Amino acid sequence: MGKVKLSNIRVYAHHGCLREEAIIGSDYRVDLEVETNLEKASQSDNLEDTVDYVHLNRIVKEEMNVRSKLLEHVAKRIMDRVFSELTTVEAMEISVSKINPPIGGDVEMVSIILQRTR
């Protein structure tokens, strides 16, 4: 087994429960890690034998462009697509963070973390 990890994917999106968040939008950070068998890829040196991180990044960016009220909802959509489109992924952890959330305090970011195993 092995892991493919994407760290600090930066996206501007319009998630949130407040009407203003839908209009103005804000900055988000997504981190994800997938577990898969990397033995074949480590020997073959062929892209088709691994989980393509370009594909993972595309899923994240496409799903982050679909508005959700909750970070949990967008994270689940990303997970659903990863497990659907990348059948060699055995487990996944994703963190979706809202940078500078509108919560009336000095908070750098709020994050949710979801984990799933196939």
Side-chain angles (χ1 to χ4, degrees), residues 18-33:
L18 301 176
R19 185 176 167 279
E20 294 78 17
E21 292 175 300
I23 297 167
I24 299 168
S26 59
D27 292 311
Y28 293 83
R29 170 185 173 162
V30 179
D31 299 282
L32 65 89
E33 183 175 283

Side-chain angles (χ1 to χ4, degrees), residues 18 100-107:
L18 301 176
N100 196 22
I103 62 175
D106 186 12
V107 178

